[in-house]
Amino acid sequence: GMVVTVLYRNDGTNANTSKNPFCDISGDEYYAAAAIWAYNVNVVTGTGYDDWGDPLFSPDRNITRQELATMFARYAAYKHVDTTQNTSSLDSFSDAGKVASWAEKEFKWTAGTGIITGKKNGNTTTLSPEDLATRAEFAKNSDKLSFENNRQLVHISHSSELYGLCIGGLTF
């Protein structure tokens, strides 16, 4: 919930009149408008479906590094950044084969731009795509999500909402 809330607030969007696609969000939660917005601008697509085929957001589920990379890259694309440029081969990372196919393109961009970096593990560097994203990683990496687009600087601001809340979606 918190990642989409920070992106939503950074975007300056104040209202969302779109229909809620998620069956696990009632609309009263602090992140409800942000989750609906993120779905509508393709920052998130959901985490799966319930037994009746309705989409799930899973706001209390921890997110992985590859999910964070995907959200960052999709947010950048939403801001009209060409995420096909400045990509990197993932071959230099010993665990590149563990990156899910749905996250590979986005991980190449976030790695190529230095937004998300590898983790040193002895003599090797890993992406650790299935590791849970931590609050520290989110703060460090979102601070790198600054880019010039049509002479407008887009920057994730760090406010008390990021540092002061214990929220689902990240390990705190």
Side-chain angles (χ1 to χ4, degrees):
M2 183 49 110
V3 172
V4 296
T5 300
V6 171
L7 295 175
Y8 173 74
R9 291 179 181 168
N10 182 73
D11 192 57
T13 306
N14 293 322
N16 194 331
T17 58
S18 301
K19 183 177 183 273
N20 179 2
F22 300 113
C23 63
D24 56 347
I25 295 178
S26 69
D28 296 330
E29 302 89 351
Y30 76 89
Y31 53 79
I36 296 165
W37 165 84
Y39 178 83
N40 286 310
V41 299
N42 198 37
V43 170
V44 298
T45 58
T47 59
Y49 299 91
D50 69 5
D51 293 339
W52 297 273
D54 296 320
L56 295 167
F57 180 67
S58 305
D60 296 322
R61 185 174 122 331
N62 294 328
I63 65 169
T64 63
R65 286 172 47 87
Q66 67 188 350
E67 290 169 328
L68 184 61
T70 299
M71 285 188 258
F72 282 165
R74 289 179 178 174
Y75 180 74
Y78 160 71
K79 290 300 217 177
H80 307 290
V81 172
D82 185 354
T83 58
T84 64
Q85 300 294 314
N86 300 318
T87 61
S88 171
S89 169
L90 301 180
D91 294 339
S92 63
F93 300 98
S94 62
D95 61 347
K98 291 183 179 179
V99 175
S101 60
W102 53 263
E104 188 173 351
K105 179 179 78 168
E106 290 86 352
F107 230 133
K108 285 180 178 180
W109 181 77
T110 56
T113 56
I115 292 171
I116 292 187
T117 58
K119 292 181 171 183
K120 290 285 186 189
N121 187 6
N123 292 333
T124 62
T125 303
T126 62
L127 289 169
S128 306
E130 297 169 338
D131 284 5
L132 297 178
T134 66
R135 180 170 102 171
E137 287 175 316
F138 177 70
K140 175 185 169 190
N141 296 331
S142 65
D143 192 47
K144 296 178 193 174
L145 190 60
S146 300
F147 36 83
E148 290 215 17
N149 179 36
N150 299 328
R151 300 177 193 245
Q152 176 183 5
L153 184 66
V154 179
H155 181 73
I156 304 299
S157 61
H158 296 285
S159 65
S160 61
E161 72 193 37
L162 175 62
Y163 296 103
L165 295 176
C166 293
I167 54 96
L170 290 174
T171 303
F172 287 87

